[in-house]
């Protein structure tokens, strides 16, 4: 039988088909490789994010931020580690403004973060470096170790040994930085958020001669709880500190002037706790002190939350100020929008604080 000849057209068609098939196959393989790479990249990114979220959750940080960096002409960020020995060490960050040096040491602000924060997230939330650069102040930011508190809260409550140790560690860091960096520990201020605010007030009561003035933002009343149950009661304004015990602890010294900043919609630390802190500062005054309450002042600026300010003078000098921020929850007033425990709708808490500190800077 003779072989049937193929039509040139059919032959060309099949050649074209084979070529198309090879092209399609190559394209499919390329697409598959690209899809595989993209899928692998997406899965890797997802796994990386999941791993980071797991690490963040385990680290007890609500909204992590990149570490602050030093930029030309904007001051310096330094990192260190100090404490009372190998088992009582804390990391810290220190911001030094431009021009700070041996001939011109900078006033020092001890700046304490809240629960579920670290120094990087707190610096990002408050924009403290930008503010400190403008005012020419140094900022010391110790970081709570997760081993000391799983949620990274400063231990403002607990048994006497625990609270005293926490306070001593923080003051040891202050002294270390004062001995090694161009800062003025004789012009020392303290401020903190939430547990950091309660700890700032605790330091003021335990080391009253070391601070020019202190500020507590959304913090519970200091020296009011020995255990977790009592701490919860204090945060709701249902537990007051032992005034007589604190008065004896002061041993004739006067507590440094106190600023309290608190939101009237705080669901974590009730405003009653802020009022209890103010009442404590008034109660520990000497009976011969002349205490005068000034009329409350309400003010608002632009679209930011309004505030009501309450002031008390002691022997003619500003001694106590309570700033109630209307509409603010448990968050840093005037902070960035990208961070937890931060509300950009409020007036700038650092500016409010520095206006208070400036009254006591000399």
């Amino acid at each position: 039988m003779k072989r049937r000849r193929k039509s040139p057209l059919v032959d060309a068609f099949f050649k074209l088909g084979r070529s198309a098939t090879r092209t399609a196959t190559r394209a499919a393989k390329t697409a598959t490789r690209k899809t595989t790479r993209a899928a692998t990249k997406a899965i890797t990114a997802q796994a990386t994010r999941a791993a980071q979220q797991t690490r963040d959750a385990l680290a007890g940080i609500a909204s992590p931020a990149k570490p602050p960096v030093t930029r030309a002409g904007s001051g310096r960020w330094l990192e260190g580690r100090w404490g009372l020995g190998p088992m009582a060490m804390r990391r810290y960050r220190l911001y030094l403004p431009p021009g700070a040096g041996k001939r011109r040491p900078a006033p020092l602000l001890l700046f304490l973060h809240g629960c579920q924060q670290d120094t990087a997230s707190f610096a990002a939330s408050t924009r403290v470096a930008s503010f400190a650069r403008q005012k020419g102040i140094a900022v010391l930011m110790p970081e709570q170790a997760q081993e000391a508190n799983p949620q990274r809260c400063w231990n403002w409550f607990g048994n006497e040994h625990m609270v005293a140790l926490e306070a001593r560690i923080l003051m040891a860091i202050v002294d270390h930085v004062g001995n090694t960096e161009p800062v003025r520990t004789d012009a020392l201020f303290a401020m903190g958020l939430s547990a950091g605010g309660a700890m700032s007030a605790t330091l003021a009561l335990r080391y009253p001669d070391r601070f020019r003035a202190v500020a507590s933002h959304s913090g519970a009343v200091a020296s009011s709880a020995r255990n977790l149950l009592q701490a919860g009661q204090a945060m709701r304004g249902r537990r007051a500190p032992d005034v007589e015990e604190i008065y004896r602890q002061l041993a004739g010294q006067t507590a440094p002037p106190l600023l309290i900043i608190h939101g009237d919609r705080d669901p974590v630390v009730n405003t009653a706790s802020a009022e209890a802190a103010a009442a404590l500062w008034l109660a520990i005054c000497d009976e011969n002190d002349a205490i005068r309450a000034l009329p409350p002042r309400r003010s608002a600026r632009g679209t930011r939350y309004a505030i009501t300010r309450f002031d008390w003078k002691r022997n003619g000098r500003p001694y106590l100020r309570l700033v109630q921020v209307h509409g603010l929850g448990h968050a840093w007033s005037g902070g960035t929008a990208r961070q937890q425990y931060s509300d950009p709708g409020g007036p700038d808490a650092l500016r409010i604080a520095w206006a208070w500190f400036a009254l006591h800077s000399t």
Side-chain angles (χ1 to χ4, degrees):
M1 180 184 288
K2 289 185 178 180
R3 212 178 207 183
R4 188 173 177 184
R5 295 180 61 186
K6 293 181 181 178
S7 165
L9 184 59
V10 173
D11 191 54
F13 177 81
F14 278 107
K15 285 183 178 178
L16 181 63
R18 286 193 294 271
S19 175
T21 299
R22 287 194 297 269
T23 302
T25 301
R26 286 196 298 269
K29 288 181 178 178
T30 300
T32 300
R33 286 196 296 269
K34 288 183 177 178
T35 303
T36 301
R37 284 198 297 268
T40 302
K41 188 176 181 181
I43 291 171
T44 302
Q46 186 177 12
T48 301
R49 285 195 299 271
Q52 185 61 54
Q53 288 170 356
T54 300
R55 286 194 294 271
D56 294 340
L58 292 174
I61 302 169
S63 52
K66 293 180 180 180
V69 296
T70 297
R71 292 185 175 86
S74 63
R76 291 182 291 150
W77 278 103
L78 307 176
E79 295 184 40
R81 192 167 180 264
W82 197 256
L84 297 176
M87 303 303 293
M89 303 289 285
R90 298 292 184 271
R91 296 184 183 279
Y92 66 83
R93 296 184 196 275
L94 175 68
Y95 172 79
L96 293 173
K102 290 183 178 180
R103 294 185 178 181
R104 197 177 71 176
L108 182 62
L109 171 62
L110 178 62
F111 203 44
L112 302 178
H113 63 75
C115 298
Q116 293 186 297
Q117 291 183 317
D118 60 1
T119 53
S121 62
F122 195 41
S125 173
T126 59
R127 294 186 289 258
V128 68
S130 175
F131 182 82
R133 183 176 65 251
Q134 295 173 23
K135 300 299 180 181
I137 59 177
V139 181
L140 173 59
M141 302 179 67
E143 185 169 286
Q144 178 63 301
Q146 197 173 15
E147 294 78 11
N149 187 290
Q151 297 301 314
R152 295 186 179 272
C153 307
W154 295 105
N155 294 310
W156 60 272
F157 70 90
N159 61 58
E160 170 60 22
H161 174 75
M162 176 186 291
V163 178
L165 177 62
E166 194 87 280
R168 285 178 58 208
I169 290 172
L170 290 170
M171 295 310 298
I173 296 173
V174 170
D175 291 337
H176 167 68
V177 169
N179 291 330
T180 57
E181 303 296 340
V183 299
R184 292 182 56 192
T185 55
D186 65 328
L188 178 62
F189 304 91
M191 183 178 190
L193 173 67
S194 190
M199 197 67 215
S200 294
T202 299
L203 290 171
L205 295 175
R206 290 175 177 270
Y207 300 91
D209 59 326
R210 298 294 305 274
F211 296 93
R212 295 281 184 91
V214 297
S216 174
H217 190 322
S218 306
V221 56
S223 301
S224 58
R226 298 285 185 179
N227 54 52
L228 187 60
L229 175 62
Q230 293 178 358
Q233 294 170 341
M235 290 164 67
R236 292 190 295 274
R238 297 176 184 173
R239 184 176 179 84
D242 186 335
V243 175
E244 292 300 322
E245 180 182 342
I246 295 172
Y247 190 80
R248 288 193 298 271
Q249 180 180 298
L250 286 168
Q253 300 181 89
T254 302
L258 172 66
L259 165 70
I260 303 167
I261 303 174
H262 214 101
D264 64 1
R265 293 187 182 178
D266 191 329
V268 179
V269 182
N270 195 279
T271 53
S273 188
E275 294 165 3
L280 169 62
W281 243 248
L282 294 173
I284 57 179
C285 289
D286 190 82
E287 61 181 8
N288 295 319
D289 289 335
I291 304 298
R292 183 166 72 94
L294 304 183
R297 294 178 56 186
R298 184 183 174 96
S299 61
R301 182 171 296 178
T303 59
R304 293 187 180 273
Y305 302 146
I307 65 170
T308 299
R309 196 180 88 188
F310 304 85
D311 281 282
W312 291 263
K313 287 189 174 183
R314 174 182 169 272
N315 299 329
R317 294 273 299 167
Y319 173 67
L320 173 64
R321 175 172 291 173
L322 170 58
V323 176
Q324 189 176 66
V325 185
H326 302 291
L328 180 69
H330 194 68
W332 183 268
S333 182
T336 60
R338 298 181 299 276
Q339 292 288 316
Q340 288 285 339
Y341 310 117
S342 178
D343 188 342
D348 191 333
L350 276 171
R351 294 191 180 280
I352 294 174
W354 196 249
W356 176 250
F357 292 156
L359 296 174
H360 309 281
S361 60
T362 57

